[in-house]
Amino acid sequence: MDISHIEHLGIAVKSIDAQLPYYEGVLGLKCYNIEVVADQKVKTAFFKVGQTKIELLEPTSEDSTIAKFIEKKGEGVHHIAFAVPCVQTALDEVAAKGVQLIDKAPRGGAEGLNIAFLHPKSTGSVLTELCMPGKE
């Protein structure tokens, strides 16, 4: 697989507003984008750290995957996202190597990214996202 860099780290939080003082006031990062991804029932906030981003994920519904994650594991690191040139090609490659997929095809994500997730059962218990800008 051709991974160019870590695109972002996703961190599940109960409240973005409650976390902003830490990320901005303590760490000195600047939140440059907050958006709701309705179909994923999540509100996101982004901070840039060099080439990598931190994505805070706040559930917008009690039945969202982020709400379920927080209920089960508490707030904290949710996933790691790798930038690839073509999400579908990367999915096909890892599937051929026996990796269990959550998404069999790319879908839209925050910041206009094309995304797909690999199942943690196949990735050492780390939810892994593959992403690329725009539409494939």
Side-chain angles (χ1 to χ4, degrees):
M1 185 177 347
D2 186 15
I3 295 173
S4 62
H5 63 281
I6 294 173
E7 209 285 335
H8 66 270
L9 295 172
I11 301 173
V13 298
K14 292 178 183 175
S15 165
I16 288 171
D17 289 339
Q19 295 298 327
L20 285 177
Y22 172 70
Y23 285 90
E24 292 187 323
V26 176
L27 297 179
L29 302 175
K30 175 71 177 133
C31 179
Y32 69 87
N33 184 35
I34 295 178
E35 71 178 275
V36 173
V37 184
D39 66 328
Q40 294 177 31
K41 301 177 184 174
V42 68
K43 178 179 174 183
T44 63
F46 286 92
F47 306 84
K48 202 117 170 127
V49 183
Q51 187 178 9
T52 303
K53 295 179 256 181
I54 301 292
E55 176 189 33
L56 300 184
L57 302 149
E58 174 187 318
T60 58
S61 171
E62 290 181 12
D63 67 342
S64 74
T65 57
I66 297 301
K68 292 174 187 173
F69 176 89
I70 291 170
E71 183 179 313
K72 185 176 179 180
K73 297 186 177 186
E75 294 179 293
V77 175
H78 179 260
H79 68 271
I80 185 168
F82 294 107
V84 296
C86 177
V87 174
Q88 188 61 61
T89 300
L91 285 173
D92 295 344
E93 183 180 330
V94 298
K97 293 178 179 177
V99 173
Q100 185 178 348
L101 307 178
I102 292 175
D103 299 302
K104 292 183 177 27
R107 58 186 164 106
E111 295 198 304
L113 292 176
N114 240 4
I115 66 168
F117 285 92
L118 310 181
H119 202 288
K121 288 181 181 176
S122 296
T123 61
S125 298
V126 177
L127 181 61
T128 303
E129 180 181 2
L130 305 174
C131 58
M132 63 176 275
K135 303 287 181 196
E136 284 197 80

